[in-house]
Amino acid sequence: MQRAALEIGLAEPDPAKVARVRAKLLEVADRSERLIEGLLLLSAGDRGLDRPEPIDAAGIVTAVLGEHRADARDRGVSIEPHVEPVRLQGDPTLFRHLVRNLMENALRYNAPGGRILVRLGAGELAVANTGPKVPPDVASHLFEPFRRMHPRRHAPGEGVGLGLSIVASIARAHGAEATAEANPDGGLTVRVAFARLAHPPEGEPARRAGP
């Protein structure tokens, strides 16, 4: 696509056509960048963890929710968090990508006026969203690379089909299991159960990520 756009742009010196070609090249380059980043993350998760370290899971989840609040407001989607202070042994960078991919998936496949429920605690991170109904037999297959519920539309901001497969890969690297369940009223609930997730000393209050 990049080669074709360049060849057409060089053959057509009209400024309006050159501008369209430039916009198309930027769009394709952005899509390629997301694909390459996704494949690298998938590979990193599949390799496992070299040097696990203590992770403030609650702090990372809270920070990632903050990153997505403006986008959620723009889409008319509310975020409802309940984040308990828990610790995880693993890789903080990979864990951040896991949470980020869950949030981006919950936003992308939501609807105006929808909701995202985020729960961290009791050895589990769960992200549920409202939205179109997901066939129950499709939900478990969404962790496969490039598997989608709907065909590609090549629309701006569309994912590359690696989001949940990256979640599953990073979860496995942390000795965890990712599962997905279709919600009866529409949308999806993705759970990541961490065997090595532990609560901090008793008495430390739950952390909420804002209204």
Side-chain angles (χ1 to χ4, degrees), residues 47-55 88-94 172-175 196:
R47 284 200 309 269
L49 306 180
D50 293 329
R51 296 180 179 177
E53 60 182 271
I55 297 174
L88 171 69
Q89 193 74 11
D91 184 304
T93 300
L94 287 179
R172 287 193 299 270
H174 287 77
R196 296 193 293 267

Side-chain angles (χ1 to χ4, degrees), residues 10-86:
L10 290 173
E12 297 285 352
D14 179 68
K17 292 183 179 179
V18 170
R20 286 197 298 271
V21 168
R22 182 176 59 188
K24 185 64 178 179
L25 283 172
L26 288 171
E27 178 188 334
V28 174
D30 183 60
R31 191 183 308 158
S32 300
E33 183 179 350
R34 293 199 306 272
L35 174 61
I36 292 169
E37 180 183 5
L39 290 170
L40 289 173
L41 280 171
L42 191 62
S43 174
D46 287 342
R47 284 200 309 269
L49 306 180
D50 293 329
R51 296 180 179 177
E53 60 182 271
I55 297 174
D56 177 8
I60 291 176
V61 170
T62 300
V64 172
L65 295 187
E67 293 173 6
H68 290 83
R69 287 200 177 280
D71 190 14
R73 282 195 299 268
D74 292 342
R75 295 170 182 256
V77 174
S78 63
I79 299 176
E80 302 176 17
H82 182 82
V83 181
E84 295 182 11
V86 294

Side-chain angles (χ1 to χ4, degrees), residues 2-12 21:
Q2 289 173 323
R3 179 179 294 276
L6 282 170
E7 289 175 350
I8 294 170
L10 290 173
E12 297 285 352
V21 168

Side-chain angles (χ1 to χ4, degrees), residues 94-170:
L94 287 179
F95 182 73
R96 183 179 293 271
H97 278 292
L98 180 149
V99 181
R100 189 174 289 147
N101 279 13
L102 286 175
M103 283 300 300
E104 290 174 357
N105 187 77
L107 276 171
R108 183 174 291 120
Y109 299 105
N110 216 310
R115 302 157 62 207
I116 298 176
L117 284 71
V118 181
R119 299 288 183 268
L120 174 67
E124 180 182 88
L125 169 64
V127 178
N129 72 322
T130 54
K133 286 198 172 185
V134 179
D137 59 332
V138 170
S140 61
H141 295 291
L142 294 175
F143 292 109
E144 299 173 9
F146 304 109
R147 177 62 71 96
R148 298 168 176 273
M149 190 174 71
H150 301 294
R152 283 186 64 90
R153 294 173 300 155
H154 300 284
E158 185 179 30
V160 296
L162 289 173
L164 289 183
S165 60
I166 290 172
V167 167
S169 176
I170 295 175

